């Protein structure tokens, strides 16, 4: 999958705002916007929604923003609420991310992204494999060689459950290296500290984690990043090599983006997309993005749909290989 950064400022000029105000040149696009957050305060979804609202209102693109946390069902409660109350959700955007694909595939909730109106993917965090700073493993080839030398003792850790994103990323890498993606031991940890202790003690040979977390650990001198799931090196930490440049066809991003109620009129949807598109060129957004270590990955409308369908296929195929579907 290929990811591009787009700023659709030209499209904004043709879109009709709730208020009828001018759009593309920093003027208000929406009078009000309500963010529905499928998890509790302080989580990744919460931070994404509130950071986006902060930038949109700070830049004057949106007049006022409000927020509603609705936990439950792995995000399913908020999804059902958005669908069941679609007629009264005209100014609501729900934040979500890769779990909407995984949890739909595994039946955690019966709906999928196809039951919603797709507004845009906005940001992402690539994944990375890291080893301890003192590890003899220097790159992905070294990781594969270590696995082949002693497969029975080879383990990769992660911060999500078996079948979760960290596990899937490690399996993608092994599969791309022509290794059995079910052949290594995956060890799940509840907290980053426990995972780091396991890595440093040799309990696991590598750790699968988010790129932003890997960068923080690398800057502290605790780990070496040996493979990132981006197509090209990421400016945030350009020393980290991609898996692609090492001959492994692995691209994956834990995206975050926004959805609206099904059946929402086209003018309102386009206004939401225009607001997000205009946001990327503002200093208010850059401050929020940099503060959180996010990568801009703008996939509006049809691009978002194509991206989600490709990720669903990629994740579904791998989960079937691993026996989780």
């Amino acid at each position: 999958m290929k990811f591009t950064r787009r700023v659709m400022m030209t499209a904004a000029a043709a879109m009709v705002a709730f208020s009828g105000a001018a759009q593309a040149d920093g003027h208000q696009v929406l009078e009000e916007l309500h963010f529905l957050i499928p998890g509790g305060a302080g989580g990744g979804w919460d931070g994404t929604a509130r950071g986006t609202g902060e930038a949109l209102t700070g830049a004057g693109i949106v007049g006022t923003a409000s927020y509603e946390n609705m936990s439950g069902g792995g995000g399913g409660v908020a999804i059902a609420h958005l669908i069941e109350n679609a007629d009264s959700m005209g100014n609501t955007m729900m934040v979500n991310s890769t779990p909407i694909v995984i949890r739909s595939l595994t039946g955690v909730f019966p709906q999928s992204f196809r039951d919603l109106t797709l507004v845009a993917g906005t940001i992402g965090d690539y994944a990375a494999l890291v080893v301890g700073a003192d590890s003899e493993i220097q790159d992905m080839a070294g990781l594969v060689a270590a696995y082949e030398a002693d497969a029975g003792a080879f383990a990769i850790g992660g911060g999500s459950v078996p079948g979760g994103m960290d596990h899937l990323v490690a399996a993608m890498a092994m599969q791309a290296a022509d290794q059995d993606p079910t052949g290594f031991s995956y060890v799940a940890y509840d907290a980053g500290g426990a995972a780091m202790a396991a890595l440093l003690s040799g309990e696991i040979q590598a750790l699968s984690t988010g790129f932003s977390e890997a960068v923080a650990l690398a800057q502290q001198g605790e780990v070496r990043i040996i493979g990132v799931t981006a197509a090209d090196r990421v400016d945030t930490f350009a020393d980290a090599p991609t898996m692609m440049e090492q001959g492994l066809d692995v691209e994956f991003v834990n995206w975050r983006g926004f959805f609206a109620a099904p059946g929402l009129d086209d003018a309102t949807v386009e206004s939401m997309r225009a607001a997000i598109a205009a946001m990327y060129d503002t200093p208010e957004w850059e401050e929020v993005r940099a503060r959180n270590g996010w990568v801009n990955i703008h996939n509006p409308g049809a691009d978002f749909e194509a991206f989600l369908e490709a990720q669903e296929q990629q994740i579904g195929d791998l989960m079937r290989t691993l026996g989780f579907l």
Side-chain angles (χ1 to χ4, degrees):
M1 291 183 290
K2 300 298 182 184
F3 307 111
T4 58
R5 299 171 177 85
R6 300 182 178 92
V7 180
M8 296 181 61
M9 296 297 290
T10 55
M15 297 173 183
V16 180
F18 290 147
S19 62
Q23 290 101 4
D25 56 358
H27 291 217
Q28 188 179 97
V29 177
L30 299 173
E31 286 185 354
E32 58 180 348
L33 192 56
H34 182 67
F35 289 91
L36 180 61
I37 303 164
W45 286 333
D46 187 69
T48 301
R50 293 177 189 274
T52 301
E54 175 190 335
L56 287 170
T57 55
I61 297 168
V62 170
T64 60
S66 56
Y67 309 91
E68 180 181 6
N69 293 87
M70 187 177 291
S71 301
V77 171
I79 293 171
H81 178 79
L82 188 61
I83 294 171
E84 292 166 6
N85 299 280
D87 290 346
S88 61
M89 294 283 167
N91 70 334
T92 297
M93 291 199 315
M94 182 189 71
V95 64
N96 219 292
S97 58
T98 308
I100 196 174
V101 175
I102 296 175
R103 290 166 183 164
S104 176
L105 284 169
T106 55
V108 172
F109 44 73
Q111 305 92 349
S112 77
F113 61 83
R114 294 178 180 84
D115 297 302
L116 305 167
T117 295
L118 279 57
V119 179
T122 57
I123 58 169
D125 187 16
Y126 295 106
L129 287 179
V130 306
V131 297
D134 296 330
S135 172
E136 294 181 358
I137 298 172
Q138 299 291 321
D139 51 25
M140 292 301 299
L143 184 76
V144 173
Y147 168 71
E148 291 178 325
D150 192 0
F154 190 85
I156 298 176
S160 59
V161 299
M165 282 185 291
D166 292 340
H167 187 186
L168 293 175
V169 166
M172 286 178 198
M174 298 305 282
Q175 188 177 58
D178 295 325
Q179 303 298 317
D180 180 2
T182 68
F184 66 92
S185 297
Y186 175 77
V187 184
Y189 296 93
D190 288 335
M196 274 305 303
L199 186 65
L200 297 178
S201 70
E203 179 181 326
I204 55 176
Q205 281 65 53
L207 179 66
S208 177
T209 187
F211 177 64
S212 57
E213 182 178 338
V215 168
L217 294 171
Q219 289 174 336
Q220 294 165 12
E222 295 180 343
V223 304
R224 178 186 306 118
I225 300 174
I226 60 170
V228 182
T229 62
D232 304 297
R233 293 202 181 198
V234 182
D235 292 341
T236 306
F237 196 77
D239 289 342
T242 68
M243 294 189 188
M244 292 289 288
E245 71 185 68
Q246 298 177 76
L248 302 182
D249 187 13
V250 180
E251 289 185 55
F252 183 81
V253 65
N254 180 21
W255 57 270
R256 292 178 191 151
F258 293 95
F259 301 80
L264 192 61
D265 65 277
D266 290 345
T268 300
V269 176
E270 292 305 320
S271 292
M272 290 176 172
R273 290 176 183 157
I276 288 174
M279 175 184 73
Y280 285 94
D281 268 359
T282 67
E284 289 82 2
W285 171 249
E286 178 55 25
E287 194 279 327
V288 170
R289 186 211 62 77
R291 184 176 73 215
N292 289 281
W294 296 332
V295 176
N296 285 333
I297 301 175
H298 186 207
N299 283 320
D303 288 344
F304 195 21
E305 182 178 23
F307 171 87
L308 291 173
E309 289 176 344
Q311 189 174 75
E312 182 184 59
Q313 184 69 47
Q314 178 190 34
I315 291 175
D317 287 348
L318 186 57
M319 292 188 81
R320 279 183 281 273
T321 298
L322 295 174
F324 290 105
L325 294 179

